[in-house]
Structure formats: C-alpha cells, structure tokens
Amino acid sequence: MDISVQICSYNRKNLLIKSLEALFQQDYPADSYEIVLIDDGSSDGTGDAVKALNPPCRLIYDYQQNAGLATARNRGIRLASGRIILFVDDDIIASKSLLKEHVTTHDRNPMSVVRGWVNHVDSLENTNEKIPVFTIQDISTSFFWTSNVSVEKKYLEKAGLFDEDFKEYGWEDLEPVSYTHLTLPT
C-alpha cells in the first residue's frame, strides 16, 4: 500500500461524509491507497453513515471511546498499512490529485515531511447551500499541523508517535515530532 489517509472524527458526521466522498474521487489507483478513520466516540450516527458508504478503496473504520486526537491519531497510525501516512481532518475536501501529489513528492524527496494547502468546509450543517464554501488556510512552518501533512510511517514510529497526554483539541500536533527526528536517518 502506497499511502494511508488517516482521519479522526468526533460528532461531525455530515462534514466527514463530504470529506470521505472527495477522497473516494482521487486520480490515484484505488488499490494503492486506504483510508483509516478513527471515530473518537461519536454519538451522532457517524458509524452507520460510514458503513453505508461504498468506497472504491480500502476503508478501515474503527470506533474508540472518546480519548482525544492524539490517542486517535496513534491508533490510526498503528492500523495503517501504507508506507506514507497522510493526515487530514474530517472537514477537509481533497482535490482529486491530493494523494498523487503527496506520493510523488515523497518519491522525489525521501525522508521528508510533505505539507499542503488546506480547503476547510465552512459549516455545512448550518446552511442551505448545496456547494460548500472554502477558505484557504496558510500552514505555519513552526509545527506539524495535521490538516494536510504526510510522512513515512517508519519515521512517525521512530519519533514515538503523538503524546497522548495532550488532551486539548488542536494541540496534539504541536509537540509530537521535531523535523530533525523525521528527516535525519540513523
């Protein structure tokens, strides 16, 4: 498996389904990627909605009691079989070439962290609009922001994964690894 897309979600079923549908439309061979979805204790019907989908690629759905993003991300990494792990959030709408661009960049730049631009869906649940509104977010170079970033699985494992003591939303991706750990071989 070339690449595993790792998503964590908690009670954001409608956003998540839009995100998954975009990932199903990739211009990358369906047998070369998988999606690893960790449901971090959702109670909004996320599991049933995901199980009703007909993905073209391998889709791993795993439910855990709400334990936070760091724990969910680590669980997803452990379940992933791809050489590369691509982290995306449950409100990210992927372009059709997202996976191809990540894999190609890794192949050209071994031992690298690949970051990309992010298209967030503005609240689909509170609008009658049929087309989601997107905003472009700039990605800081000061931390490992998991909205659209990929790294080879072996380097994540070597770095020790995410610190599960981080429980606040959005902070688990600030500390887990330094670029030095991810880019320097032993």
Side-chain angles (χ1 to χ4, degrees):
M1 188 74 52
D2 292 337
I3 188 165
S4 299
V5 181
Q6 207 277 307
I7 304 174
C8 301
S9 191
Y10 174 70
N11 284 339
R12 296 177 71 173
K13 173 181 67 177
N14 294 339
L15 294 171
L16 172 65
I17 296 304
K18 295 289 185 192
S19 180
L20 290 171
E21 288 171 347
L23 288 166
F24 296 162
Q25 301 300 315
Q26 293 297 295
D27 63 1
Y28 199 74
D31 61 349
S32 296
Y33 78 98
E34 67 184 1
I35 299 168
V36 180
L37 170 61
I38 306 301
D39 183 342
D40 191 28
S42 296
S43 59
D44 65 348
T46 293
D48 290 336
V50 170
K51 290 173 186 172
L53 297 171
N54 187 22
C57 62
R58 180 176 181 209
L59 173 61
I60 299 169
Y61 170 81
D62 192 63
Y63 179 89
Q64 70 177 22
Q65 293 296 322
N66 185 259
L69 280 171
T71 301
R73 291 213 190 280
N74 288 345
R75 189 172 179 134
I77 292 166
R78 290 181 184 109
L79 291 173
S81 62
R83 170 179 60 99
I84 299 164
I85 307 291
L86 168 60
F87 296 101
V88 297
D89 288 338
D90 60 3
D91 64 347
I92 301 300
I93 302 298
S95 68
K96 290 182 185 240
S97 63
L98 180 72
L99 301 184
K100 181 169 50 176
E101 290 173 15
H102 273 274
V103 172
T104 299
T105 304
H106 277 282
D107 290 345
R108 290 180 183 159
N109 303 283
M111 298 184 298
S112 62
V113 174
V114 178
R115 293 173 294 139
W117 291 99
V118 177
N119 291 333
H120 286 276
V121 178
D122 287 339
S123 182
L124 289 173
E125 298 179 59
N126 298 322
T127 182
N128 292 326
E129 295 180 34
K130 293 183 180 177
I131 299 173
V133 177
F134 298 102
T135 58
I136 302 299
Q137 303 290 321
D138 187 10
I139 297 177
S140 170
T141 59
S142 63
F143 55 88
F144 186 79
W145 194 34
T146 53
S147 288
N148 180 357
V149 67
S150 63
V151 66
E152 287 191 40
K153 182 177 180 178
K154 65 184 177 184
Y155 297 122
L156 289 166
E157 293 169 335
K158 183 178 178 181
L161 305 181
F162 291 88
D163 184 344
E164 295 184 15
D165 289 336
F166 280 74
K167 300 296 182 192
E168 296 298 320
Y169 173 80
W171 295 101
E172 88 294 343
D173 52 359
L174 297 178
E175 185 279 336
V177 292
S178 72
Y179 290 105
T180 303
H181 286 106
L182 291 175
T183 57
L184 294 180
T186 37

